[in-house]
């Protein structure tokens, strides 16, 4: 037998979120690094919020603050803490012109643009699914980054751009591990926080959502309040051996669907005729991540979420999002 050594075993590259962002930046020769700095602020926020979420019960920060947010919804103490973390970390980044949050009625103008500079707007849902916290369920953060429109006279005018103009979007899932899912418009990539080294490590590059899967995710308690077409789809699903999975946090539900396939629905209801979820900091970023992974995201038949022209930063929308085959199946019933 020859003693020639075999090929060197191939060990997968270890790529951190920071390394990934810098590599992506190199695809754009005109990039100045401003966006990379903003993404790094979001990664720091994610680690800070993850630490707070882990200790919530011990630090006695579970439960409601006793005030409502702009949507008239109960604010949990951690909604407020997560919001402050994001405002603080993003506030320190020169490249951020305006931030808008689910928890603040008005956008916060941080700084104006000087000639020749490029600045960005960041919109976010600091804690998604926050009512899950009391029962140690998964929660998340969702963000959307738009280019600042320097011609806009009011902050709102710069923010009210359709989701197709997002420069980047992502979510962070605080579950058994902390997962950062990001798109900078060149596919969707996923990172898991390694607590031993304090860094997000890439686990999926150019993620592809399964084309179909017999799985739907919807609050079925509202079923009788859904338009007839949605009820017909649920009849179809239940006659055909589908599974129902609903975490009550869009981040957790869409995360599962990105990996395993299926469809996430938040239809219009009699109580919320426009739908419940917020277009600019829930639906748009999720739509970008899912489309960049080969999925579909619609608000109604023939209406792509990313093409909706927003008229208010807290505007709501119906959501049909997930595997292309399953979204088509739902649309076929509407
Ligand atoms: P938030 O906690 O940011 O208000 O968002 C909760 C959202 C979303 O994450 C979830 O999918 C949906 O509300 C759940 O609503 P229902 O309780 O009506 O099912
Ligand atoms: Mn939310
Ligand atoms: Mn929220």
């Amino acid at each position: 037998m020859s003693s020639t050594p075999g090929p060197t075993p191939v060990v997968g590259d270890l790529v951190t979120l920071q390394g990934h962002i810098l590599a992506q930046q190199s695809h754009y020769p005109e990039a100045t690094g401003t966006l990379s700095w903003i993404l790094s602020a979001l990664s720091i926020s994610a680690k800070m919020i993850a630490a707070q979420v882990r200790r919530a019960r011990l630090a006695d920060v579970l439960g409601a603050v006793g005030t409502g947010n702009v949507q008239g919804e109960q604010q949990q103490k951690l909604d407020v803490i997560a919001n402050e973390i994001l405002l603080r970390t993003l506030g320190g980044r020169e490249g951020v012109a305006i931030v808008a949050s689910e928890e603040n009625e008005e956008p916060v103008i941080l700084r104006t643009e000087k000639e020749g500079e490029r600045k960005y707007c960041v919109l976010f849902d600091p804690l998604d699914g926050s009512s899950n916290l009391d029962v140690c369920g998964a929660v998340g953060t969702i963000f959307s980054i738009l280019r600042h429109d320097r011609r806009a006279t009011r902050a709102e005018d710069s923010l009210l751009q359709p989701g197709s103009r997002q420069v980047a979007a992502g979510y962070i899932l605080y579950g058994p591990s902390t997962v950062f899912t990001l798109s900078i418009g060149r596919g969707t990539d996923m990172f898991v926080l390694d607590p031993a080294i304090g860094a997000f490590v890439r686990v999926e590059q150019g993620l592809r959502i399964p084309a179909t899967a017999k799985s739907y995710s919807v609050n079925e308690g509202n079923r009788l309040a859904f338009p007839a077409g949605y009820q017909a789809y649920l009849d179809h699903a239940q006659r055909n051996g589908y599974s129902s999975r609903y975490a009550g946090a869009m981040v957790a539900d869409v995360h599962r669907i990105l990996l395993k396939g299926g469809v996430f629905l938040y239809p219009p209801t009699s109580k919320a005729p426009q739908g419940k979820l917020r277009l600019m900091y829930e639906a748009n970023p999720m739509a970008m991540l899912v489309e960049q992974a080969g999925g579909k995201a619609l608000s109604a038949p023939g209406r792509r979420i990313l093409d909706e022209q927003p008229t208010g930063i807290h505007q709501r929308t119906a959501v049909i999002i997930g595997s292309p085959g399953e979204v088509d199946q739902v649309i076929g019933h509407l």
Side-chain angles (χ1 to χ4, degrees):
M1 286 256 299
S2 132
S3 61
T4 326
T8 317
V10 178
V11 179
D13 286 351
L14 190 143
V15 178
T16 63
L17 178 60
Q18 295 307 354
H20 172 88
I21 292 168
L22 289 176
Q24 294 266 315
Q25 189 188 315
S26 67
H27 292 296
Y28 302 92
E30 73 287 3
T32 56
T34 308
L35 180 63
S36 303
W37 265 112
I38 296 171
L39 292 169
S40 110
L42 289 162
S43 129
I44 292 165
S45 306
K47 292 179 205 173
M48 291 171 75
I49 297 171
Q52 293 282 342
V53 166
R54 303 258 172 272
R55 296 199 69 253
R57 181 82 196 233
L58 299 172
D60 197 23
V61 287
L62 291 179
V65 191
T67 53
N69 65 10
V70 273
Q71 335 281 333
E73 293 155 348
Q74 271 287 343
Q75 270 179 316
Q76 307 288 309
K77 288 178 197 156
L78 268 171
D79 284 323
V80 175
I81 294 171
N83 194 38
E84 279 166 5
I85 288 174
L86 283 157
L87 290 172
R88 215 172 118 208
T89 52
L90 288 166
R93 293 295 193 257
E94 274 302 315
V96 184
I98 304 169
V99 291
S101 162
E102 178 190 18
E103 306 301 336
N104 298 112
E105 181 150 14
E106 298 294 335
V108 182
I109 303 167
L110 293 169
R111 45 186 79 80
T112 47
E113 211 166 40
K114 292 194 210 92
E115 205 50 49
E117 276 178 335
R118 175 181 284 170
K119 289 212 188 302
Y120 295 88
C121 305
V122 187
L123 298 101
F124 49 85
D125 176 354
L127 215 51
D128 174 64
S130 52
S131 65
N132 275 359
L133 277 171
D134 291 354
V135 296
C136 201
V139 291
T141 294
I142 314 175
F143 65 85
S144 163
I145 305 181
L146 294 162
R147 211 155 259 152
H148 176 47
D149 181 354
R150 72 174 65 180
R151 292 159 309 174
T153 44
R154 293 180 320 145
E156 280 230 336
D157 297 335
S158 178
L159 294 170
L160 297 180
Q161 306 178 40
S164 54
R165 296 226 204 113
Q166 290 172 111
V167 177
Y171 66 75
I172 299 100
L173 170 64
Y174 311 103
S177 21
T178 300
V179 183
F180 198 123
T181 303
L182 174 69
S183 177
I184 318 178
R186 298 171 67 93
T188 293
D189 306 296
M190 207 174 264
F191 306 81
V192 170
L193 181 61
D194 182 344
I197 58 171
F200 283 101
V201 175
R202 192 166 70 198
V203 293
E204 296 279 352
Q205 187 178 15
L207 180 75
R208 300 311 288 168
I209 192 171
T212 59
K214 288 185 165 188
S215 176
Y216 65 86
S217 188
V218 68
N219 184 343
E220 262 184 292
N222 296 330
R223 180 181 175 135
L224 297 179
F226 294 159
Y230 286 95
Q231 300 195 38
Y233 167 75
L234 291 174
D235 287 340
H236 157 84
Q238 287 163 10
R239 276 198 296 266
N240 287 280
Y242 278 54
S243 287
S244 163
R245 293 281 181 276
Y246 193 66
M250 186 195 203
V251 169
D253 285 314
V254 172
H255 179 72
R256 184 191 58 255
I257 288 168
L258 271 172
L259 295 172
K260 303 259 186 196
V263 64
F264 175 86
L265 304 169
Y266 210 108
T269 60
S270 27
K271 207 171 92 190
Q274 313 303 322
K276 175 187 178 187
L277 298 176
R278 280 52 63 107
L279 173 65
M280 296 208 68
Y281 43 80
E282 290 182 317
N284 273 342
M286 289 308 200
M288 178 171 180
L289 292 166
V290 167
E291 283 199 5
Q292 287 284 324
K296 287 191 180 178
L298 303 183
S299 57
R303 292 188 75 121
R304 184 175 170 238
I305 289 175
L306 294 180
D307 289 334
E308 297 285 348
Q309 171 60 52
T311 53
I313 57 170
H314 299 294
Q315 170 176 342
R316 295 173 193 265
T317 179
V319 166
I320 308 161
I321 192 165
S323 295
E326 275 327 300
V327 170
D328 289 347
Q329 188 63 250
V330 177
I331 295 299
H333 285 86
L334 295 184

